Amino acid sequence: MALGINAPLVKTPEQLVGVDALILPGGESTTMSMLLDTSGLRDSIGERLADGMGVFGTCAGMILCATDVLDGRPDQRGFSLIDMTVRRNGYGRQLDSFETDLSVDGLADDFHAVFIRAPYVERVGPDVEVIAVHDGIPVLARSGRCTVASFHPELTEDTRLHEAFIATL
Amino acid sequence: MQQWIRLEPARRKYDEFMSVESTGTFPVKRGLAEMMKGGVIMDVVNPEQAKIAEDAGAVAVMALERVPADIRRDGGVARMSDPEMIIGIQEVCSIPVMAKARIGHFVEAQILQSLGVDFIDESEVLTPADEAYHIDKMAFDVPFVCGATNLGEALRRISEGAAMIRSKGEAGTGNVVEAVRHLRSIIGDMKRITQADEAELFGWAKQLQAPLSLIQEIAQTGTLPVPLFCAGGLATPADAALAMQLGADAVFVGSGIFKADNPSPRAKAIVEATTHYMDADVLAKVSRGIGAPMTGIGMDEISVKYAERGW
């Protein structure tokens, strides 16, 4: 409970009922993809997305939102919500993980971002709004009610990106 | 509510030029541990097992030459795995690869970092290389996980730079009793510390032989500054769910998977049990028809207790 928003954990289709928007957080996208199937959440999330539910996908969540995934597992499937190509672990292994300050459109001050074995955005579609870049590569983008980040806003105390996401709903 | 406004392009150019990247920092190390919460890390000894683990939904694999049950059976000195074998596993795996170094053997750790492993386990399952000092983990860019039997041990490892703590249950026994003891001890003492007054915190620091600053932090937060995983002796989906209900953030499963009759379905069942650890209906469902678990050994049947290695 922060920003006046109740944020329950969703592990089953029953828990999704009554949720207005979903955060797909970091983790292992292959594990998440498998558990989406075994829990039955893939279909129920898919139905809600078709009705326009908002989504904020970070790191592995970004992979689940992207239309095209490189270096994923063949059986790995996402929700194809945002027109972009991402390369899984494209920034490299853990030794290449890093933190840095990002200039983000709409935020007065820099946002401190932590990248962990992050996905690398290789292409964004014409309808995707890029909100932050790092070394010329998009790292925060939005299309309609879907926002994606290749870093982890959930690892820092700064809630400005969560507020901005809520404002898109 | 915050509104998105496009910045002037000139400002953006300047900021990109000024951006500074830091690798190997504590938040970056702990960040990977955070990403494994709720998941299962599986011991594997070859690329085939690594694929089975990844297929089953493991969040990471631990690459080692022999699972602890075999190390226990074979005796002798257990060392870091052959780099060739670790590279073989890195090549087939897209999830993080961990590997073990002996307690205090910082050169094995240097080699593992050079191989690009994602996490190093300074592990009591291997034969200790130093009887006085653990590895100075601050000196590395790769994150470390260390075992702990109690809160004092956990905090000493964290002050040396560990980014993840795991219980030190008796590896290779298929017996969860020791891991449960460690979890209860660590979590129980943290609960008691949150009830202590300021003056008592000095006593806790002395009693646990741990830095006062970390004790004061726990008094505020009620939790460790890094994730707490459960390891040692887990063999069934029920064991994994028990660890999670006791308060572990995630689980390691070593011999329990590949020493069982049917590794692949058991691995999948343990992944599901770890996710849905509060749901007994799911636990009952996934525990069915997965073949026999590893036989296991009682604590009075073993001659070497790994948990007594390290301090």
Side-chain angles (χ1 to χ4, degrees):
Chain A
M1 186 79 165
L3 307 174
I5 302 267
N6 185 18
L9 202 58
V10 175
K11 291 181 178 183
T12 62
E14 298 74 49
Q15 288 165 336
L16 187 66
V17 177
V19 168
D20 297 314
L22 196 61
I23 289 183
L24 293 170
E28 270 307 313
S29 59
T30 53
T31 306
M32 290 158 75
S33 179
M34 191 201 96
L35 288 167
L36 280 170
D37 287 325
T38 55
S39 65
L41 264 177
R42 185 184 299 280
D43 290 342
S44 42
I45 291 177
E47 284 165 22
R48 292 293 310 280
L49 290 172
D51 293 341
M53 177 174 65
V55 174
F56 191 178
T58 68
C59 195
M62 174 193 247
I63 296 172
L64 290 173
C65 291
T67 48
D68 300 287
V69 178
L70 305 174
D71 291 346
R73 286 171 52 87
D75 58 351
Q76 181 174 352
R77 288 187 301 131
F79 295 109
S80 288
L81 290 173
I82 187 162
D83 182 17
M84 58 165 53
T85 305
V86 297
R87 185 174 294 279
R88 193 166 155 249
N89 301 335
Y91 283 91
R93 292 191 162 275
Q94 172 63 12
L95 286 172
D96 305 302
S97 294
F98 61 97
E99 51 182 321
T100 190
D101 289 327
L102 292 177
S103 163
V104 177
D105 282 4
L107 299 188
D109 299 312
D110 283 357
F111 188 90
H112 190 71
V114 182
F115 292 76
I116 307 287
R117 287 172 50 98
Y120 188 93
V121 176
E122 302 220 336
R123 176 194 67 84
V124 292
D127 298 330
V128 173
E129 182 188 2
V130 174
I131 310 163
V133 295
H134 173 67
D135 284 347
I137 302 300
V139 293
L140 180 64
R142 188 176 56 196
S143 173
R145 289 154 81 88
C146 176
T147 305
V148 290
S150 46
F151 55 95
H152 293 282
E154 72 271 29
L155 284 182
T156 47
E157 300 294 313
D158 192 339
T159 56
R160 288 177 295 164
L161 293 184
H162 294 82
E163 289 168 38
F165 169 63
I166 292 163
T168 66
L169 302 176
Chain B
M1 282 292 168
Q2 193 97 35
Q3 291 299 311
W4 298 92
I5 304 155
R6 285 221 169 264
L7 291 176
E8 292 303 311
R11 160 84 196 282
R12 156 154 294 171
K13 269 264 175 320
Y14 176 74
D15 278 358
E16 276 170 39
F17 179 70
M18 292 299 288
S19 80
V20 178
E21 273 183 35
S22 315
T23 56
T25 59
F26 195 67
V28 166
K29 291 174 174 178
R30 190 183 54 206
L32 182 57
E34 296 279 343
M35 291 310 126
M36 296 177 186
K37 278 183 173 178
V40 183
I41 299 157
M42 302 182 189
D43 278 5
V44 297
V45 301
N46 56 44
E48 294 71 43
Q49 289 188 352
K51 283 309 285 180
I52 292 173
E54 186 178 309
D55 290 347
V59 291
V61 294
M62 176 75 71
L64 72 178
E65 259 164 9
R66 295 174 289 170
V67 293
D70 291 334
I71 293 175
R72 209 174 266 289
R73 188 197 61 211
D74 297 348
V77 175
R79 308 177 179 91
M80 175 189 82
S81 296
D82 180 350
E84 195 67 33
M85 171 268 173
I86 294 170
I87 291 166
I89 287 174
Q90 285 174 321
E91 279 168 357
V92 301
C93 248
S94 68
I95 57 178
V97 175
M98 299 185 168
K100 289 181 194 287
R102 282 180 266 178
I103 290 174
H105 206 316
F106 50 86
V107 174
E108 285 188 347
Q110 289 164 4
I111 292 169
L112 292 174
Q113 175 165 285
S114 158
L115 292 174
V117 304
D118 296 294
F119 234 103
I120 295 177
D121 184 6
E122 186 181 19
S123 177
E124 72 283 358
V125 170
L126 305 183
T127 311
D130 193 318
E131 294 183 327
Y133 302 108
H134 282 252
I135 296 170
D136 169 16
K137 293 165 274 287
M138 299 281 192
F140 289 80
D141 287 334
V142 62
F144 279 76
V145 52
C146 289
T149 59
N150 58 54
L151 184 57
E153 201 176 349
L155 297 180
R156 289 192 290 279
R157 297 295 86 77
I158 291 167
S159 63
E160 293 159 1
M164 178 198 290
I165 292 296
R166 58 169 174 77
S167 66
K168 226 169 163 182
E170 281 303 311
T173 62
N175 189 336
V176 78
V177 65
E178 296 290 312
V180 167
R181 187 217 310 276
H182 304 160
L183 278 182
R184 282 204 182 273
S185 172
I186 292 169
I187 294 167
D189 273 352
M190 288 196 292
K191 283 184 198 156
R192 285 183 274 277
I193 286 173
T194 60
Q195 304 295 314
D197 66 35
E198 286 293 322
E200 288 168 336
L201 297 182
F202 295 95
W204 274 104
K206 184 180 166 194
Q207 182 198 326
L208 294 177
Q209 299 176 51
L212 178 64
S213 58
L214 289 177
I215 300 282
Q216 288 167 329
E217 192 180 328
I218 289 170
Q220 295 296 317
T221 64
T223 180
L224 288 181
V226 302
L228 172 63
F229 285 27
C230 183
L234 277 65
T236 67
D239 288 348
L242 174 68
M244 296 297 287
Q245 287 199 26
L246 284 171
D249 290 318
V251 300
F252 284 84
V253 184
S255 318
I257 290 172
F258 290 100
K259 281 290 166 188
D261 279 357
N262 247 331
S264 177
R266 176 162 299 266
K268 284 190 183 121
I270 292 176
V271 168
E272 279 198 67
T274 306
T275 300
H276 302 287
Y277 64 91
M278 292 297 284
D279 189 334
D281 294 338
V282 172
L283 298 177
K285 191 181 101 200
V286 302
S287 298
R288 290 173 62 177
I290 53 174
M294 66 183 287
T295 311
I297 12 183
M299 285 310 119
D300 46 0
E301 298 170 60
I302 57 175
S303 51
V304 180
K305 277 189 103 174
Y306 292 154
E308 289 167 2
R309 296 170 167 177
W311 42 90

